[in-house]
């Protein structure tokens, strides 16, 4: 998920040489361009610092859709040049530079700006990446914070001849991107659900303090998902219900489907949170039961020794006239009485099933 399965690049003179010593940060300089129509498609890369080539990106062939994917670029000059080329509003450029934007949608003249969070696992760690999407009449521009995304399925879909995306416009590509974001939430929730099931079996088998820490970790991740998915629901609701110039009526049902899937993801998040709450209660209950078992054993032992301590206390007193002390069988009789009392008490406790 965190690596891009790129198609073989069409070599061109404006592509950067990845073997050049000056290309140490090549991943942060290259932008990915996917261009397709009903009959053709191609994938290539350009250096974002080559401003002349950025300006040429606005020249899109007729009946073609161009997807420009920019990852991890912090060069404000290059971003401004790309914005000038496509007449992107300055507020959008400003929003791209802010990684803490809330998911929202804004409509401008000849463009639509969507901000959302892209979540995926990379090396078992949850990655939260800001995604800015700009929809134009025949193009889509996506800005990510780091190299890596959840769009490999879309790339493979574009490669297939006669696929729906090849026969639709840029608004359908935007739908696929939003649908991929939603699917990534489901993937994370599925992973967390499996972790909860495993953790539940472990808690049932033997309760450990580390289990409570694991419950807290999963709960924090669920809170993050819930924090980012609720605003995205509002975005999908507006896209599927409000008439927007760049979204065709044929695409609106797909966007409404994205909204429904987001609602399902929210329900799944709530269900996982309920499972975690129940698991935390189970952990505390098991801990309490374990403590009760320990206290019961200690209480039984203490109860057995109470009469024995009483007898030992009596014969430990330093009185001069204690007849039993002078008897030859006094010591053995005392031990016999004490063992008999302890045996009777143990038998009684066993019969009552107190331990």
């Amino acid at each position: 998920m965190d690596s891009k399965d790129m198609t073989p690049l069409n070599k061109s003179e404006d592509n950067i040489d990845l073997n050049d010593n000056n290309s140490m940060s090549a991943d942060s300089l290259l932008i990915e361009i996917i261009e397709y129509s009903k009959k053709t498609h191609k994938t290539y890369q350009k250096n974002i610092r080559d401003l002349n080539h950025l300006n040429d990106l606005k020249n899109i062939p007729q009946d073609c859709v161009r997807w420009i994917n920019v990852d991890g670029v912090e060069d404000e000059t290059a971003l401004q040049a790309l914005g000038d080329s496509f007449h992107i509003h300055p507020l959008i450029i400003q929003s791209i530079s802010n990684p803490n934007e809330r998911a929202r949608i804004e409509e401008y003249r000849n463009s639509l700006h969507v901000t959302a969070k892209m979540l995926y696992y990379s090396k078992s760690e949850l990655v939260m990446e800001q995604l800015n999407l700009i929809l134009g009449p025949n193009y889509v521009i996506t800005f990510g914070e780091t190299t890596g995304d959840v769009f490999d399925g879309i790339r493979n879909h574009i490669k297939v001849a006669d696929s729906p995306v090849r026969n639709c416009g840029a608004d359908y590509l935007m739908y696929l991107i939003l649908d991929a974001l939603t699917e990534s939430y489901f993937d994370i929730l599925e992973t967390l659900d499996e972790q909860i099931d495993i953790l539940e079996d472990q808690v049932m088998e033997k309760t450990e303090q580390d289990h409570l820490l694991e419950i807290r970790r999963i709960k924090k991740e669920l809170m993050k998902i819930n924090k980012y998915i609720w605003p995205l629901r509002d975005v999908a609701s507006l896209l599927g219900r409000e008439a927007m110039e760049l979204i065709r009526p044929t695409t609106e049902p797909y966007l409404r489907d994205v909204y429904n899937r987001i609602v399902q993801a929210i329900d799944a998040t709530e269900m996982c949170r309920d499972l975690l709450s129940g698991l935390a209660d189970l952990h505390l209950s098991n801990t309490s039961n374990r403590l009760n078992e320990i206290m019961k054993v200690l209480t039984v032992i203490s109860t057995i020794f109470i009469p024995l301590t009483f007898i030992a206390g009596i014969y430990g007193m330093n009185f001069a006239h204690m007849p039993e002390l002078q008897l030859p069988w006094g010591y053995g009789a005392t031990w016999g009485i004490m063992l008999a009392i302890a045996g009777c008490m143990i038998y009684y406790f066993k019969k009552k099933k107190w331990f």
Side-chain angles (χ1 to χ4, degrees):
M1 183 180 299
D2 60 328
S3 62
K4 294 185 177 179
D5 184 17
M6 295 289 295
T7 58
L9 300 180
N10 297 326
K11 301 294 183 181
S12 61
E13 61 181 4
D14 54 334
N15 289 345
I16 188 170
D17 184 3
L18 299 180
N19 295 321
D20 192 341
N21 292 331
N22 295 326
S23 302
M24 297 177 63
S25 59
D27 288 342
S28 63
L29 296 178
L30 294 177
I31 60 175
E32 176 191 15
I33 298 101
I34 300 177
E35 189 176 297
Y36 62 90
S37 63
K38 291 184 179 181
K39 297 181 179 180
T40 63
H41 90 281
K42 63 178 180 178
T43 302
Y44 55 97
Q45 293 179 332
K46 288 183 179 293
N47 189 330
I48 195 170
R49 291 182 179 174
D50 193 330
L51 303 185
N52 292 329
H53 293 150
L54 289 184
N55 190 56
D56 292 338
L57 289 177
K58 67 180 180 181
N59 301 320
I60 303 174
Q62 189 175 4
D63 299 328
C64 281
V65 174
R66 179 171 287 170
W67 177 16
I68 303 172
N69 185 46
V70 184
D71 280 336
V73 175
E74 299 179 355
D75 192 326
E76 295 184 2
T77 302
L79 290 177
Q80 189 61 51
L82 186 62
D84 293 341
S85 177
F86 285 91
H87 304 289
I88 298 175
H89 198 279
L91 288 176
I92 299 179
I93 300 298
Q94 181 180 353
S95 177
I96 293 172
S97 303
N98 185 4
N100 299 317
E101 288 283 348
R102 179 184 173 89
R104 57 193 174 92
I105 178 173
E106 294 175 326
E107 188 174 13
Y108 297 89
R109 183 179 180 182
N110 296 325
S111 67
L112 191 66
H113 177 219
V114 176
T115 304
K117 280 289 185 180
M118 178 168 55
L119 306 181
Y120 57 90
Y121 278 109
S122 176
K123 298 179 181 180
S124 301
E125 292 187 3
L126 183 62
V127 177
M128 294 168 291
E129 183 178 345
Q130 184 84 5
L131 179 72
N132 286 274
L133 183 149
I134 302 173
L135 171 67
N138 54 354
Y139 66 86
V140 171
I141 307 177
T142 51
F143 295 88
E145 292 184 79
T146 60
T147 302
D149 53 40
V150 296
F151 304 140
D152 285 343
I154 303 176
R155 296 183 179 93
N156 295 330
H157 194 48
I158 292 175
K159 297 176 187 176
V160 180
D162 297 327
S163 61
V165 67
R166 295 274 289 273
N167 294 280
C168 298
D171 56 340
Y172 188 83
L173 176 60
M174 181 191 69
Y175 148 71
L176 290 179
I177 292 174
L178 293 177
D179 186 64
L181 289 180
T182 306
E183 189 64 31
S184 69
Y185 286 105
F186 276 105
D187 292 339
I188 294 173
L189 289 172
E190 183 178 353
T191 300
L192 293 179
D193 186 60
E194 292 175 357
Q195 293 177 2
I196 292 173
D197 288 340
I198 295 174
L199 188 58
E200 183 178 13
D201 294 338
Q202 294 175 348
V203 171
M204 291 296 295
E205 182 178 353
K206 185 178 180 181
T207 302
E208 301 288 349
Q209 186 63 29
D210 291 342
H211 295 158
L212 197 59
L213 298 177
E214 184 69 8
I215 291 173
R216 184 172 177 82
R217 180 192 66 81
I218 298 176
K219 190 172 183 179
K220 283 185 176 181
E221 292 191 357
L222 284 173
M223 290 176 63
K224 292 177 182 178
I225 295 172
N226 195 59
K227 174 183 177 181
Y228 297 132
I229 200 171
W230 271 94
L232 187 59
R233 184 195 68 163
D234 298 334
V235 170
S237 177
L238 292 174
L239 286 172
R241 295 179 182 179
E242 289 195 4
M244 295 186 178
E245 181 181 353
L246 295 175
I247 298 178
R248 297 171 301 170
T250 54
T251 308
E252 290 179 358
Y254 295 101
L255 294 172
R256 285 195 291 269
D257 180 68
V258 171
Y259 171 80
N260 293 331
R261 286 176 57 78
I262 291 175
V263 172
Q264 293 174 6
I266 292 175
D267 293 339
T269 303
E270 295 297 329
M271 184 182 67
C272 287
R273 292 179 66 180
D274 291 340
L275 289 174
L276 274 181
S277 297
L279 197 56
D281 292 340
L282 178 62
H283 178 276
L284 296 177
S285 176
N286 287 348
T287 303
S288 178
N289 289 338
R290 184 180 178 184
L291 180 61
N292 289 338
E293 289 294 328
I294 295 174
M295 293 301 299
K296 183 170 64 175
V297 172
L298 295 177
T299 302
V300 169
I301 295 174
S302 301
T303 304
I304 292 174
F305 275 90
I306 286 175
L308 308 185
T309 305
F310 174 75
I311 295 175
I314 290 177
Y315 287 99
M317 293 186 294
N318 296 320
F319 289 107
H321 304 286
M322 295 186 70
E324 295 86 354
L325 296 179
Q326 305 299 325
L327 297 175
W329 44 265
Y331 177 75
T334 303
W335 266 108
I337 294 173
M338 293 173 67
L339 292 175
I341 292 174
C344 291
M345 295 183 70
I346 292 174
Y347 173 77
Y348 180 78
F349 294 154
K350 282 283 188 181
K351 187 176 181 181
K352 290 292 185 179
K353 297 181 180 181
W354 288 355
F355 73 97

